[in-house]
């Protein structure tokens, strides 16, 4: 009893360049689909104008008819999706800028200038000015 036909050669996974290209293309499409799916799910939960029932309905359709629902969502709600994403990026950038400004503080020259203006106004004594100046320079 023969299990293999002698006329068919098996080259393994790496045997055919066309099979290799097709495999990479398939994997690329799968990951692109997953990225789009997670973007849509993230957008659904980011959207504050859409009520919970509509969000649940979109999720149900994404589970049972995923590819078609994903295309419909991207066509119907794509512009809003881009606007919400841009708003989120802007909000994150502003938060990062505020944090950097808060952490950076002022330069030693700014601190010395403030101390000098306090000295000139008579708010602090020359000894306090020298102390603040030494602190800023250290």
């Amino acid at each position: 009893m023969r299990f293999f036909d002698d006329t068919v050669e098996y080259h393994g996974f790496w045997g055919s360049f066309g099979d290799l290209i097709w495999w990479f293309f398939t994997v690329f499409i799968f990951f692109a689909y997953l990225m789009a799916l997670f973007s849509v799910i993230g957008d659904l939960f980011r959207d504050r104008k859409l009520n919970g029932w509509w969000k649940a309905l979109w999720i149900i359709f994404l589970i049972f008819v995923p590819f078609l629902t994903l295309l419909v969502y991207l066509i119907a709600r794509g512009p809003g999706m881009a606007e919400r994403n841009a708003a989120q990026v802007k909000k994150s950038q502003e938060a990062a800028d505020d944090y950097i400004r808060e952490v950076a503080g002022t330069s030693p020259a700014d601190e010395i200038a403030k101390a000098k203006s306090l000295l000139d106004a008579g708010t602090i004594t020359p000894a306090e000015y020298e102390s603040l100046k030494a602190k800023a320079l250290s």
Side-chain angles (χ1 to χ4, degrees):
M1 180 177 229
R2 294 175 55 166
F3 293 106
F4 298 104
D5 186 7
D6 290 337
T7 59
V8 177
E9 292 183 33
Y10 179 69
H11 296 287
F13 180 73
W14 304 105
S16 170
F17 186 70
D19 289 342
L20 181 66
I21 295 296
W22 183 252
W23 183 81
F24 276 112
F25 180 72
T26 305
V27 169
F28 172 78
I29 294 298
F30 177 70
F31 280 112
Y33 169 74
L34 284 180
M35 288 177 57
L37 182 68
F38 288 126
S39 293
V40 165
I41 291 171
D43 183 64
L44 273 172
F45 290 105
R46 187 181 308 132
D47 189 3
R48 300 204 183 276
K49 294 178 185 173
L50 196 63
N51 72 26
W53 290 106
W54 282 108
K55 290 177 184 182
L57 188 64
W58 277 111
I59 294 293
I60 288 169
F61 276 109
L62 279 171
I63 291 170
F64 292 110
V65 191
F67 188 74
L68 181 62
T69 306
L70 185 66
L71 285 176
V72 169
Y73 188 90
L74 290 175
I75 292 168
R77 299 181 49 88
M81 189 174 175
E83 291 168 4
R84 285 184 291 279
N85 190 32
Q88 182 69 28
V89 167
K90 184 178 179 183
K91 183 179 174 183
S92 297
Q93 183 65 41
E94 288 172 355
D97 291 345
D98 290 343
Y99 176 75
I100 290 170
R101 273 190 231 101
E102 177 185 324
V103 171
T106 58
S107 70
D110 291 338
E111 291 182 27
I112 293 172
K114 286 179 188 176
K116 179 67 173 156
S117 67
L118 290 173
L119 176 67
D120 292 342
T123 309
I124 60 173
T125 64
E128 291 173 325
Y129 169 73
E130 291 300 324
S131 170
L132 289 172
K133 184 177 170 184
K135 189 178 182 185
L137 293 174
S138 63

